[in-house]
Amino acid sequence: MLAILGIDTSCDESAAGIVVDGRFLRSNVIASQIAVHRAYGGVVPEVASRAHLTSLPPVLIRALEEAGLSYADLGAVAVTQGPGLVGALLVGVAAAKALAYALKIPLIPVHHLLGHLYSCWLARPDLSFPAVCLVASGGHTSLLLWEDHLRVTVVGRTRDDAAGEAFDKVARYLGLPYPGGPALEELAREGDPRAFSFPRAWLEPETLDFSFSGLKTAVVNCCRRLEASGRSLPLADVAASFQAAVVEVLVEKTARAMHTFRGSTLALAGGVAANESLRQSLAARASAEGWDLVVPPRELCTDNGAMVAAAGYFLYRGGRYGDVFLEAVPALRLEDFLPPFFPGAIVDKSGR
Ligand code: KG4
Ligand code: ZN
């Protein structure tokens, strides 16, 4: 039995979880800082770092208690190395280093996107490869081709705002509280998604990249025009039409990736995966196409430590240990973290 403690402090959740043998979830404890940041309308990096310092130690203790384990039972400690807010990441990395050093167990650095990917593994540890995973959160909107453990390639990413970031910015403009995603979804329930036809950024025909900043600007301009004409803003219709535009692009590009890479499993992760409209649209598409859909429960979709522990297990098995010099890397790219793998690369087998 290998019990791994996973720690994530990449943004505004102090999170720790314990997973055994990469698949058995034993605990998943999250201290949210939502109340702290709400007063500012968004995450304030220094406030987040300071909050991690005080909230992470009790979260670690509770993660062990809920798992019914003691420090001595841990076989490794995994931690998000990046990407994320540097001061926030540093708190988790320093805690993980101290634990690994004191307990004399391996320290496993984890890329945050791999963490999100492995929330799907925790939800379905027998999923079949190749899988395509859409990771949509406040910091990322990426399509990952997942061919096997540690064989993960970014095949599409946002060129500007992440989907969650667009939700948060539009929500803020509409006067909704932080975090904007869930509040906007709530409002959209009462609105007509066809009331406004906001732009969908398909970009070049062959690309799997995304762009959401134009949509955000279109929503703001539309609201300004309505206000200037003296009409009251149909907030719920704006929210529903915005959400429909985001969901349509996310579903369509994910489906394209499934076709391109002949995926058998379609996975969804990241905070935006909590969005019911996205879940339902992807589920409808997956069932029409005959794809196996994996969507983790909500507590595994948003940032958490269990997903880091699960990813850490496979990195551990690959011998990917960190040491006392491990640094937090705020803009860590998956391509730099994992050895590159090129799908469809031409391999010269002639022996020359
Ligand atoms: O994965 P996550 O917890 O943190 C990051 O790594 O960013 O994702 C947080 C993001 C926020 O932008 C939040 O507004 C968005 O996920 N989000 C949602 C919903 N719940 C959370 N967006 C749309 N609909 C939701 N129900
Ligand atoms: Zn995240």
Side-chain angles (χ1 to χ4, degrees), residues 33-50:
Q33 299 178 7
I34 285 178
V36 184
H37 297 287
R38 184 162 273 167
Y40 304 97
V43 178
V44 182
E46 185 180 334
V47 173
S49 316
R50 289 175 185 275

PDB file of all heavy atoms in Angstrom, residues 33-50:
ATOM      1  N   GLN A  33     -10.902  30.056   0.388  1.00  0.00           N
ATOM      2  CA  GLN A  33     -10.650  31.449   0.801  1.00  0.00           C
ATOM      3  C   GLN A  33     -11.687  32.397   0.188  1.00  0.00           C
ATOM      4  O   GLN A  33     -11.469  33.608   0.169  1.00  0.00           O
ATOM      5  CB  GLN A  33      -9.254  31.881   0.357  1.00  0.00           C
ATOM      6  CG  GLN A  33      -8.130  31.067   0.948  1.00  0.00           C
ATOM      7  CD  GLN A  33      -6.783  31.528   0.417  1.00  0.00           C
ATOM      8  OE1 GLN A  33      -6.664  32.531  -0.281  1.00  0.00           O
ATOM      9  NE2 GLN A  33      -5.745  30.788   0.744  1.00  0.00           N
ATOM     10  N   ILE A  34     -12.785  31.842  -0.297  1.00  0.00           N
ATOM     11  CA  ILE A  34     -13.774  32.675  -1.000  1.00  0.00           C
ATOM     12  C   ILE A  34     -14.183  33.885  -0.159  1.00  0.00           C
ATOM     13  O   ILE A  34     -14.194  35.024  -0.639  1.00  0.00           O
ATOM     14  CB  ILE A  34     -15.021  31.842  -1.392  1.00  0.00           C
ATOM     15  CG1 ILE A  34     -14.671  30.952  -2.575  1.00  0.00           C
ATOM     16  CG2 ILE A  34     -16.198  32.750  -1.772  1.00  0.00           C
ATOM     17  CD1 ILE A  34     -15.785  30.047  -3.035  1.00  0.00           C
ATOM     18  N   ALA A  35     -14.459  33.631   1.116  1.00  0.00           N
ATOM     19  CA  ALA A  35     -14.932  34.724   1.978  1.00  0.00           C
ATOM     20  C   ALA A  35     -13.877  35.827   2.099  1.00  0.00           C
ATOM     21  O   ALA A  35     -14.207  37.019   2.139  1.00  0.00           O
ATOM     22  CB  ALA A  35     -15.283  34.174   3.351  1.00  0.00           C
ATOM     23  N   VAL A  36     -12.596  35.423   2.124  1.00  0.00           N
ATOM     24  CA  VAL A  36     -11.500  36.389   2.277  1.00  0.00           C
ATOM     25  C   VAL A  36     -11.403  37.302   1.047  1.00  0.00           C
ATOM     26  O   VAL A  36     -11.186  38.506   1.164  1.00  0.00           O
ATOM     27  CB  VAL A  36     -10.151  35.646   2.461  1.00  0.00           C
ATOM     28  CG1 VAL A  36      -9.009  36.601   2.716  1.00  0.00           C
ATOM     29  CG2 VAL A  36     -10.242  34.606   3.564  1.00  0.00           C
ATOM     30  N   HIS A  37     -11.564  36.685  -0.148  1.00  0.00           N
ATOM     31  CA  HIS A  37     -11.352  37.455  -1.382  1.00  0.00           C
ATOM     32  C   HIS A  37     -12.606  38.178  -1.874  1.00  0.00           C
ATOM     33  O   HIS A  37     -12.505  39.068  -2.710  1.00  0.00           O
ATOM     34  CB  HIS A  37     -10.825  36.535  -2.480  1.00  0.00           C
ATOM     35  CG  HIS A  37      -9.488  35.930  -2.153  1.00  0.00           C
ATOM     36  ND1 HIS A  37      -8.319  36.666  -2.184  1.00  0.00           N
ATOM     37  CD2 HIS A  37      -9.135  34.693  -1.745  1.00  0.00           C
ATOM     38  CE1 HIS A  37      -7.308  35.890  -1.840  1.00  0.00           C
ATOM     39  NE2 HIS A  37      -7.780  34.686  -1.558  1.00  0.00           N
ATOM     40  N   ARG A  38     -13.760  37.752  -1.371  1.00  0.00           N
ATOM     41  CA  ARG A  38     -15.012  38.327  -1.878  1.00  0.00           C
ATOM     42  C   ARG A  38     -15.036  39.843  -1.733  1.00  0.00           C
ATOM     43  O   ARG A  38     -15.503  40.561  -2.613  1.00  0.00           O
ATOM     44  CB  ARG A  38     -16.208  37.702  -1.156  1.00  0.00           C
ATOM     45  CG  ARG A  38     -17.531  38.185  -1.687  1.00  0.00           C
ATOM     46  CD  ARG A  38     -18.675  37.285  -1.292  1.00  0.00           C
ATOM     47  NE  ARG A  38     -18.837  36.188  -2.243  1.00  0.00           N
ATOM     48  CZ  ARG A  38     -19.588  35.122  -2.018  1.00  0.00           C
ATOM     49  NH1 ARG A  38     -20.205  34.983  -0.882  1.00  0.00           N
ATOM     50  NH2 ARG A  38     -19.714  34.186  -2.928  1.00  0.00           N
ATOM     51  N   ALA A  39     -14.482  40.324  -0.626  1.00  0.00           N
ATOM     52  CA  ALA A  39     -14.500  41.764  -0.363  1.00  0.00           C
ATOM     53  C   ALA A  39     -13.758  42.544  -1.454  1.00  0.00           C
ATOM     54  O   ALA A  39     -14.053  43.718  -1.698  1.00  0.00           O
ATOM     55  CB  ALA A  39     -13.848  42.037   0.988  1.00  0.00           C
ATOM     56  N   TYR A  40     -12.793  41.862  -2.126  1.00  0.00           N
ATOM     57  CA  TYR A  40     -12.004  42.539  -3.169  1.00  0.00           C
ATOM     58  C   TYR A  40     -12.557  42.266  -4.567  1.00  0.00           C
ATOM     59  O   TYR A  40     -12.038  42.780  -5.545  1.00  0.00           O
ATOM     60  CB  TYR A  40     -10.546  42.061  -3.117  1.00  0.00           C
ATOM     61  CG  TYR A  40      -9.903  42.247  -1.762  1.00  0.00           C
ATOM     62  CD1 TYR A  40      -9.839  41.197  -0.853  1.00  0.00           C
ATOM     63  CD2 TYR A  40      -9.360  43.480  -1.391  1.00  0.00           C
ATOM     64  CE1 TYR A  40      -9.246  41.354   0.386  1.00  0.00           C
ATOM     65  CE2 TYR A  40      -8.766  43.645  -0.142  1.00  0.00           C
ATOM     66  CZ  TYR A  40      -8.718  42.578   0.737  1.00  0.00           C
ATOM     67  OH  TYR A  40      -8.129  42.735   1.963  1.00  0.00           O
ATOM     68  N   GLY A  41     -13.539  41.390  -4.682  1.00  0.00           N
ATOM     69  CA  GLY A  41     -14.113  41.066  -5.994  1.00  0.00           C
ATOM     70  C   GLY A  41     -13.254  40.113  -6.796  1.00  0.00           C
ATOM     71  O   GLY A  41     -13.514  39.879  -7.973  1.00  0.00           O
ATOM     72  N   GLY A  42     -12.223  39.547  -6.214  1.00  0.00           N
ATOM     73  CA  GLY A  42     -11.354  38.603  -6.925  1.00  0.00           C
ATOM     74  C   GLY A  42     -10.205  38.199  -6.029  1.00  0.00           C
ATOM     75  O   GLY A  42     -10.076  38.723  -4.911  1.00  0.00           O
ATOM     76  N   VAL A  43      -9.360  37.280  -6.529  1.00  0.00           N
ATOM     77  CA  VAL A  43      -8.255  36.783  -5.702  1.00  0.00           C
ATOM     78  C   VAL A  43      -7.137  37.821  -5.625  1.00  0.00           C
ATOM     79  O   VAL A  43      -6.650  38.296  -6.652  1.00  0.00           O
ATOM     80  CB  VAL A  43      -7.696  35.462  -6.290  1.00  0.00           C
ATOM     81  CG1 VAL A  43      -6.515  34.968  -5.469  1.00  0.00           C
ATOM     82  CG2 VAL A  43      -8.782  34.418  -6.350  1.00  0.00           C
ATOM     83  N   VAL A  44      -6.741  38.174  -4.400  1.00  0.00           N
ATOM     84  CA  VAL A  44      -5.605  39.081  -4.198  1.00  0.00           C
ATOM     85  C   VAL A  44      -4.405  38.214  -3.822  1.00  0.00           C
ATOM     86  O   VAL A  44      -4.420  37.563  -2.770  1.00  0.00           O
ATOM     87  CB  VAL A  44      -5.903  40.108  -3.079  1.00  0.00           C
ATOM     88  CG1 VAL A  44      -4.724  41.067  -2.911  1.00  0.00           C
ATOM     89  CG2 VAL A  44      -7.180  40.866  -3.386  1.00  0.00           C
ATOM     90  N   PRO A  45      -3.370  38.163  -4.696  1.00  0.00           N
ATOM     91  CA  PRO A  45      -2.298  37.181  -4.493  1.00  0.00           C
ATOM     92  C   PRO A  45      -1.667  37.203  -3.102  1.00  0.00           C
ATOM     93  O   PRO A  45      -1.478  36.151  -2.489  1.00  0.00           O
ATOM     94  CB  PRO A  45      -1.285  37.555  -5.583  1.00  0.00           C
ATOM     95  CG  PRO A  45      -2.122  38.126  -6.671  1.00  0.00           C
ATOM     96  CD  PRO A  45      -3.216  38.889  -5.974  1.00  0.00           C
ATOM     97  N   GLU A  46      -1.329  38.367  -2.586  1.00  0.00           N
ATOM     98  CA  GLU A  46      -0.645  38.375  -1.285  1.00  0.00           C
ATOM     99  C   GLU A  46      -1.583  37.896  -0.171  1.00  0.00           C
ATOM    100  O   GLU A  46      -1.170  37.176   0.747  1.00  0.00           O
ATOM    101  CB  GLU A  46      -0.113  39.772  -0.944  1.00  0.00           C
ATOM    102  CG  GLU A  46       0.700  39.692   0.343  1.00  0.00           C
ATOM    103  CD  GLU A  46       1.282  41.012   0.801  1.00  0.00           C
ATOM    104  OE1 GLU A  46       1.500  41.891  -0.046  1.00  0.00           O
ATOM    105  OE2 GLU A  46       1.504  41.141   2.021  1.00  0.00           O
ATOM    106  N   VAL A  47      -2.839  38.282  -0.275  1.00  0.00           N
ATOM    107  CA  VAL A  47      -3.824  37.824   0.721  1.00  0.00           C
ATOM    108  C   VAL A  47      -3.928  36.294   0.660  1.00  0.00           C
ATOM    109  O   VAL A  47      -3.991  35.609   1.693  1.00  0.00           O
ATOM    110  CB  VAL A  47      -5.194  38.493   0.458  1.00  0.00           C
ATOM    111  CG1 VAL A  47      -6.273  37.915   1.362  1.00  0.00           C
ATOM    112  CG2 VAL A  47      -5.094  40.004   0.648  1.00  0.00           C
ATOM    113  N   ALA A  48      -3.896  35.746  -0.565  1.00  0.00           N
ATOM    114  CA  ALA A  48      -3.982  34.285  -0.719  1.00  0.00           C
ATOM    115  C   ALA A  48      -2.786  33.604  -0.055  1.00  0.00           C
ATOM    116  O   ALA A  48      -2.953  32.634   0.685  1.00  0.00           O
ATOM    117  CB  ALA A  48      -4.042  33.919  -2.204  1.00  0.00           C
ATOM    118  N   SER A  49      -1.569  34.134  -0.292  1.00  0.00           N
ATOM    119  CA  SER A  49      -0.369  33.506   0.298  1.00  0.00           C
ATOM    120  C   SER A  49      -0.452  33.502   1.813  1.00  0.00           C
ATOM    121  O   SER A  49      -0.180  32.496   2.468  1.00  0.00           O
ATOM    122  CB  SER A  49       0.905  34.259  -0.095  1.00  0.00           C
ATOM    123  OG  SER A  49       0.873  34.579  -1.444  1.00  0.00           O
ATOM    124  N   ARG A  50      -0.844  34.628   2.368  1.00  0.00           N
ATOM    125  CA  ARG A  50      -0.912  34.726   3.840  1.00  0.00           C
ATOM    126  C   ARG A  50      -1.977  33.787   4.396  1.00  0.00           C
ATOM    127  O   ARG A  50      -1.789  33.166   5.443  1.00  0.00           O
ATOM    128  CB  ARG A  50      -1.213  36.170   4.262  1.00  0.00           C
ATOM    129  CG  ARG A  50      -0.039  37.100   4.023  1.00  0.00           C
ATOM    130  CD  ARG A  50      -0.414  38.537   4.338  1.00  0.00           C
ATOM    131  NE  ARG A  50       0.674  39.440   4.001  1.00  0.00           N
ATOM    132  CZ  ARG A  50       1.682  39.710   4.813  1.00  0.00           C
ATOM    133  NH1 ARG A  50       1.732  39.189   6.020  1.00  0.00           N
ATOM    134  NH2 ARG A  50       2.647  40.526   4.425  1.00  0.00           N
TER     135      ARG A  50
END
